[in-house]
């Protein structure tokens, strides 16, 4: 049975997860996600991948508890889950998790592997693995340490308690809380802007941010290299020329910079 339903429109792929009864990360679901993510490597028609759930209460429950054992098959499945997390993080496309239900354990790790994550009032986020005698297995503790800091991460991992979307936003577990009634309009607005960019723009900022988190000086060096390379491009010069023509570096910028960008885009599309 296929667990993913995939549709693509305007460079945005929507991946809907449906693995009844509660969207557990089984080996079949993990393999299907891995196959799809890896298939995007040379895909020029997809710039953004949005992950959603068809389940009313669960985004992704957690890793299948039946594979958490000492058998060769169980260990192999757990390693494939870890590979899935790494593959999502390595995507050149922008990955977006839209969470309108529970995401615990591996589900929460999936969410944190995505570039952007939005949660509604119906969502919950947690890493409760300690209560089944294991640590996190998909970089949950690593991400909590990096996002929450030592004390908050340790408390969250030892308690394993749920966080609401508002709490998760405050702790940097997700990008933003968005009410369920507003989520579709919100996504339409921001993804319309992002999908209008080139994939290389997404890759560029992913690389700069990743490098900067590891090493500030290395991030600064990479940023400058990108800046100097892009400054030489004919596309950059054409945009700057049109931007100045339509009021760039004048009083219009103070109140209508978006209008200048719109006029610039219209000029270049002629």
């Amino acid at each position: 049975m296929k667990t993913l339903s995939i549709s693509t429109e305007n460079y945005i792929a929507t991946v809907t997860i449906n693995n009844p009864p509660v969207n557990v990360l089984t080996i079949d679901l993990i393999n299907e996600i891995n196959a799809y993510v890896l298939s995007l490597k040379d895909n020029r028609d997809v710039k953004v991948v949005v992950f959603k759930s068809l389940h009313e209460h669960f985004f992704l429950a957690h890793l299948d508890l039946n594979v958490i054992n000492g058998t060769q098959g169980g260990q192999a499945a757990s390693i494939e889950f870890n590979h899935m997390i790494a593959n999502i993080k390595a995507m050149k496309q922008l990955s977006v998790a839209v969470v309108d239900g529970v995401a615990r354990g591996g589900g929460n790790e999936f969410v944190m592997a995505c570039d952007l994550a939005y949660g509604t009032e119906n969502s919950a986020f947690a890493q409760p693995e300690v209560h089944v005698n294991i640590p996190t297995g998909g970089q949950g503790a690593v991400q909590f340490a990096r996002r929450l800091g030592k004390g908050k991460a340790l408390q969250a991992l030892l308690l394993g308690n749920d966080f609401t979307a508002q709490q998760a936003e405050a702790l940097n577990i997700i990008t933003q809380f968005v009410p369920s009634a507003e989520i579709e309009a919100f996504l339409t607005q921001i993804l319309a802007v992002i999908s209008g960019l080139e994939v290389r723009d997404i890759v560029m900022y992913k690389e700069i941010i990743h490098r900067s988190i590891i090493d500030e000086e290395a991030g600064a060096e990479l940023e400058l290299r990108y800046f100097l390379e892009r400054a030489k491009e004919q596309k950059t010069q054409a945009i700057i020329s049109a931007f100045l023509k339509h009021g760039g570096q004048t009083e219009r910028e103070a109140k209508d910079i978006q209008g200048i960008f719109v006029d610039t885009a219209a000029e270049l599309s002629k």
Side-chain angles (χ1 to χ4, degrees):
M1 182 190 77
K2 285 207 165 191
T3 51
L4 302 181
S5 174
I6 303 166
S7 61
T8 304
E9 185 177 358
N10 297 327
Y11 301 103
I12 301 170
T14 301
V15 179
T16 305
I17 302 166
N18 182 29
N19 192 27
V22 293
N23 272 8
V24 163
L25 278 156
T26 57
I27 188 59
D28 289 340
L29 175 55
I30 290 166
N31 286 338
E32 199 171 339
I33 292 169
N34 267 330
Y36 175 68
V37 169
L38 292 174
S39 76
L40 294 172
K41 183 178 179 182
D42 298 315
N43 190 314
R44 298 182 179 181
D45 297 321
V46 175
K47 300 178 184 179
V48 180
V49 179
V50 179
F51 292 100
K52 296 182 175 181
S53 166
L54 196 63
H55 198 284
E56 183 180 2
H57 302 296
F58 287 94
F59 177 74
L60 284 168
H62 46 69
L63 180 62
D64 183 4
L65 295 178
N66 293 304
V67 307
I68 302 174
N69 55 50
T71 68
Q72 187 174 353
Q75 300 291 74
S78 298
I79 290 170
E80 280 307 302
F81 164 68
N82 205 276
H83 288 166
M84 181 196 73
I85 296 296
N87 290 335
I88 293 169
K89 290 175 67 178
M91 288 170 62
K92 65 180 180 180
Q93 291 85 1
L94 186 77
S95 54
V96 183
V98 181
V99 188
D100 193 38
V102 172
R104 297 191 185 102
N108 188 53
E109 289 168 321
F110 183 103
V111 170
M112 292 192 293
C114 292
D115 297 312
L116 303 178
Y118 302 102
T120 73
E121 67 276 11
N122 302 317
S123 61
F125 307 87
Q127 298 292 162
E129 287 86 348
V130 73
H131 297 303
V132 290
N133 199 45
I134 56 171
T136 53
Q139 303 182 25
V142 176
Q143 290 301 318
F144 269 22
R146 292 167 68 82
R147 297 169 186 228
L148 279 62
K150 178 184 176 182
K152 286 184 172 63
L154 191 57
Q155 176 175 274
L157 293 164
L158 292 176
L159 293 178
N161 55 295
D162 283 355
F163 292 111
T164 65
Q166 293 96 324
Q167 291 170 325
E169 177 187 348
L171 293 169
N172 290 323
I173 295 170
I174 64 171
T175 311
Q176 191 174 332
F177 160 70
V178 183
S180 182
E182 301 171 18
I183 190 73
E184 290 304 324
F186 173 82
L187 286 172
T188 298
Q189 182 180 19
I190 67 164
L191 296 184
V193 176
I194 295 171
S195 63
L197 302 173
E198 295 182 66
V199 171
R200 69 179 191 141
D201 297 326
I202 296 168
V203 171
M204 175 181 69
Y205 268 129
K206 279 195 185 190
E207 289 181 353
I208 292 171
I209 291 167
H210 177 71
R211 189 78 59 86
S212 300
I213 289 171
I214 297 169
D215 184 328
E216 183 177 350
E217 288 188 11
E221 289 175 6
L222 180 61
E223 180 187 70
L224 178 59
R225 186 162 78 243
Y226 266 119
F227 182 92
L228 296 175
E229 288 173 356
R230 291 285 191 108
K232 294 186 292 185
E233 292 182 9
Q234 184 177 355
K235 176 181 179 179
T236 303
Q237 296 309 309
I239 293 172
I240 289 174
S241 177
F243 184 81
L244 292 171
K245 176 182 175 182
H246 291 285
Q249 296 188 178
T250 71
E251 290 292 330
R252 187 183 179 191
E253 270 197 29
K255 294 183 179 179
D256 191 29
I257 191 167
Q258 292 303 322
I260 300 176
F261 281 129
V262 169
D263 291 343
T264 297
E267 166 96 8
L268 295 172
S269 66
K270 290 179 182 177

PDB file of all heavy atoms in Angstrom, residues 204-217:
ATOM      1  N   MET A 204      21.688  28.288  -1.718  1.00  0.00           N
ATOM      2  CA  MET A 204      22.663  29.279  -1.257  1.00  0.00           C
ATOM      3  C   MET A 204      22.446  29.630   0.218  1.00  0.00           C
ATOM      4  O   MET A 204      23.384  29.563   1.028  1.00  0.00           O
ATOM      5  CB  MET A 204      22.555  30.551  -2.103  1.00  0.00           C
ATOM      6  CG  MET A 204      23.440  31.711  -1.642  1.00  0.00           C
ATOM      7  SD  MET A 204      23.225  33.190  -2.666  1.00  0.00           S
ATOM      8  CE  MET A 204      21.543  33.686  -2.224  1.00  0.00           C
ATOM      9  N   TYR A 205      21.214  29.976   0.571  1.00  0.00           N
ATOM     10  CA  TYR A 205      20.969  30.375   1.957  1.00  0.00           C
ATOM     11  C   TYR A 205      21.001  29.191   2.916  1.00  0.00           C
ATOM     12  O   TYR A 205      21.404  29.335   4.078  1.00  0.00           O
ATOM     13  CB  TYR A 205      19.665  31.155   2.073  1.00  0.00           C
ATOM     14  CG  TYR A 205      19.881  32.652   1.947  1.00  0.00           C
ATOM     15  CD1 TYR A 205      19.128  33.413   1.067  1.00  0.00           C
ATOM     16  CD2 TYR A 205      20.852  33.292   2.708  1.00  0.00           C
ATOM     17  CE1 TYR A 205      19.338  34.787   0.952  1.00  0.00           C
ATOM     18  CE2 TYR A 205      21.071  34.652   2.604  1.00  0.00           C
ATOM     19  CZ  TYR A 205      20.312  35.388   1.719  1.00  0.00           C
ATOM     20  OH  TYR A 205      20.532  36.740   1.613  1.00  0.00           O
ATOM     21  N   LYS A 206      20.598  28.020   2.437  1.00  0.00           N
ATOM     22  CA  LYS A 206      20.744  26.829   3.284  1.00  0.00           C
ATOM     23  C   LYS A 206      22.210  26.618   3.646  1.00  0.00           C
ATOM     24  O   LYS A 206      22.550  26.334   4.802  1.00  0.00           O
ATOM     25  CB  LYS A 206      20.214  25.587   2.561  1.00  0.00           C
ATOM     26  CG  LYS A 206      18.716  25.382   2.608  1.00  0.00           C
ATOM     27  CD  LYS A 206      18.436  23.940   2.180  1.00  0.00           C
ATOM     28  CE  LYS A 206      16.987  23.634   2.076  1.00  0.00           C
ATOM     29  NZ  LYS A 206      16.741  22.200   1.892  1.00  0.00           N
ATOM     30  N   GLU A 207      23.085  26.734   2.654  1.00  0.00           N
ATOM     31  CA  GLU A 207      24.506  26.497   2.883  1.00  0.00           C
ATOM     32  C   GLU A 207      25.113  27.550   3.804  1.00  0.00           C
ATOM     33  O   GLU A 207      25.888  27.224   4.709  1.00  0.00           O
ATOM     34  CB  GLU A 207      25.252  26.476   1.548  1.00  0.00           C
ATOM     35  CG  GLU A 207      24.960  25.251   0.708  1.00  0.00           C
ATOM     36  CD  GLU A 207      25.742  25.240  -0.595  1.00  0.00           C
ATOM     37  OE1 GLU A 207      26.408  26.250  -0.912  1.00  0.00           O
ATOM     38  OE2 GLU A 207      25.682  24.221  -1.302  1.00  0.00           O
ATOM     39  N   ILE A 208      24.751  28.814   3.591  1.00  0.00           N
ATOM     40  CA  ILE A 208      25.292  29.889   4.429  1.00  0.00           C
ATOM     41  C   ILE A 208      24.855  29.709   5.885  1.00  0.00           C
ATOM     42  O   ILE A 208      25.657  29.820   6.817  1.00  0.00           O
ATOM     43  CB  ILE A 208      24.862  31.275   3.907  1.00  0.00           C
ATOM     44  CG1 ILE A 208      25.539  31.565   2.564  1.00  0.00           C
ATOM     45  CG2 ILE A 208      25.203  32.373   4.925  1.00  0.00           C
ATOM     46  CD1 ILE A 208      25.015  32.808   1.861  1.00  0.00           C
ATOM     47  N   ILE A 209      23.573  29.413   6.082  1.00  0.00           N
ATOM     48  CA  ILE A 209      23.051  29.251   7.438  1.00  0.00           C
ATOM     49  C   ILE A 209      23.678  28.040   8.119  1.00  0.00           C
ATOM     50  O   ILE A 209      24.112  28.109   9.275  1.00  0.00           O
ATOM     51  CB  ILE A 209      21.511  29.153   7.416  1.00  0.00           C
ATOM     52  CG1 ILE A 209      20.902  30.513   7.027  1.00  0.00           C
ATOM     53  CG2 ILE A 209      20.971  28.697   8.773  1.00  0.00           C
ATOM     54  CD1 ILE A 209      19.428  30.459   6.682  1.00  0.00           C
ATOM     55  N   HIS A 210      23.740  26.917   7.398  1.00  0.00           N
ATOM     56  CA  HIS A 210      24.336  25.702   7.964  1.00  0.00           C
ATOM     57  C   HIS A 210      25.789  25.942   8.372  1.00  0.00           C
ATOM     58  O   HIS A 210      26.205  25.594   9.484  1.00  0.00           O
ATOM     59  CB  HIS A 210      24.255  24.565   6.939  1.00  0.00           C
ATOM     60  CG  HIS A 210      24.908  23.298   7.400  1.00  0.00           C
ATOM     61  ND1 HIS A 210      24.386  22.506   8.395  1.00  0.00           N
ATOM     62  CD2 HIS A 210      26.062  22.685   7.012  1.00  0.00           C
ATOM     63  CE1 HIS A 210      25.172  21.469   8.600  1.00  0.00           C
ATOM     64  NE2 HIS A 210      26.204  21.554   7.779  1.00  0.00           N
ATOM     65  N   ARG A 211      26.552  26.560   7.493  1.00  0.00           N
ATOM     66  CA  ARG A 211      27.955  26.821   7.779  1.00  0.00           C
ATOM     67  C   ARG A 211      28.097  27.798   8.947  1.00  0.00           C
ATOM     68  O   ARG A 211      28.981  27.640   9.796  1.00  0.00           O
ATOM     69  CB  ARG A 211      28.625  27.398   6.530  1.00  0.00           C
ATOM     70  CG  ARG A 211      30.149  27.527   6.602  1.00  0.00           C
ATOM     71  CD  ARG A 211      30.854  26.221   6.387  1.00  0.00           C
ATOM     72  NE  ARG A 211      30.549  25.629   5.096  1.00  0.00           N
ATOM     73  CZ  ARG A 211      31.206  25.923   3.958  1.00  0.00           C
ATOM     74  NH1 ARG A 211      32.205  26.792   3.981  1.00  0.00           N
ATOM     75  NH2 ARG A 211      30.869  25.333   2.831  1.00  0.00           N
ATOM     76  N   SER A 212      27.241  28.790   9.009  1.00  0.00           N
ATOM     77  CA  SER A 212      27.329  29.815  10.058  1.00  0.00           C
ATOM     78  C   SER A 212      27.018  29.260  11.439  1.00  0.00           C
ATOM     79  O   SER A 212      27.604  29.689  12.435  1.00  0.00           O
ATOM     80  CB  SER A 212      26.381  30.978   9.739  1.00  0.00           C
ATOM     81  OG  SER A 212      26.704  31.566   8.505  1.00  0.00           O
ATOM     82  N   ILE A 213      26.073  28.308  11.508  1.00  0.00           N
ATOM     83  CA  ILE A 213      25.731  27.685  12.787  1.00  0.00           C
ATOM     84  C   ILE A 213      26.928  26.915  13.333  1.00  0.00           C
ATOM     85  O   ILE A 213      27.200  26.910  14.534  1.00  0.00           O
ATOM     86  CB  ILE A 213      24.496  26.775  12.636  1.00  0.00           C
ATOM     87  CG1 ILE A 213      23.240  27.633  12.421  1.00  0.00           C
ATOM     88  CG2 ILE A 213      24.317  25.885  13.854  1.00  0.00           C
ATOM     89  CD1 ILE A 213      22.008  26.844  12.043  1.00  0.00           C
ATOM     90  N   ILE A 214      27.659  26.262  12.429  1.00  0.00           N
ATOM     91  CA  ILE A 214      28.831  25.488  12.837  1.00  0.00           C
ATOM     92  C   ILE A 214      30.005  26.394  13.171  1.00  0.00           C
ATOM     93  O   ILE A 214      30.701  26.210  14.176  1.00  0.00           O
ATOM     94  CB  ILE A 214      29.238  24.506  11.715  1.00  0.00           C
ATOM     95  CG1 ILE A 214      28.113  23.496  11.465  1.00  0.00           C
ATOM     96  CG2 ILE A 214      30.542  23.786  12.058  1.00  0.00           C
ATOM     97  CD1 ILE A 214      28.309  22.659  10.227  1.00  0.00           C
ATOM     98  N   ASP A 215      30.227  27.397  12.314  1.00  0.00           N
ATOM     99  CA  ASP A 215      31.424  28.240  12.430  1.00  0.00           C
ATOM    100  C   ASP A 215      31.107  29.619  11.853  1.00  0.00           C
ATOM    101  O   ASP A 215      30.931  29.762  10.634  1.00  0.00           O
ATOM    102  CB  ASP A 215      32.588  27.582  11.672  1.00  0.00           C
ATOM    103  CG  ASP A 215      33.902  28.330  11.803  1.00  0.00           C
ATOM    104  OD1 ASP A 215      33.887  29.570  11.924  1.00  0.00           O
ATOM    105  OD2 ASP A 215      34.956  27.674  11.762  1.00  0.00           O
ATOM    106  N   GLU A 216      31.033  30.633  12.706  1.00  0.00           N
ATOM    107  CA  GLU A 216      30.641  31.971  12.274  1.00  0.00           C
ATOM    108  C   GLU A 216      31.577  32.532  11.201  1.00  0.00           C
ATOM    109  O   GLU A 216      31.132  33.103  10.204  1.00  0.00           O
ATOM    110  CB  GLU A 216      30.609  32.924  13.474  1.00  0.00           C
ATOM    111  CG  GLU A 216      30.140  34.327  13.123  1.00  0.00           C
ATOM    112  CD  GLU A 216      30.053  35.239  14.332  1.00  0.00           C
ATOM    113  OE1 GLU A 216      30.173  34.740  15.468  1.00  0.00           O
ATOM    114  OE2 GLU A 216      29.878  36.447  14.140  1.00  0.00           O
ATOM    115  N   GLU A 217      32.874  32.372  11.383  1.00  0.00           N
ATOM    116  CA  GLU A 217      33.831  32.911  10.415  1.00  0.00           C
ATOM    117  C   GLU A 217      33.723  32.202   9.070  1.00  0.00           C
ATOM    118  O   GLU A 217      33.792  32.828   8.016  1.00  0.00           O
ATOM    119  CB  GLU A 217      35.257  32.805  10.956  1.00  0.00           C
ATOM    120  CG  GLU A 217      35.549  33.779  12.089  1.00  0.00           C
ATOM    121  CD  GLU A 217      37.024  33.779  12.484  1.00  0.00           C
ATOM    122  OE1 GLU A 217      37.844  33.186  11.746  1.00  0.00           O
ATOM    123  OE2 GLU A 217      37.347  34.367  13.523  1.00  0.00           O
TER     124      GLU A 217
END
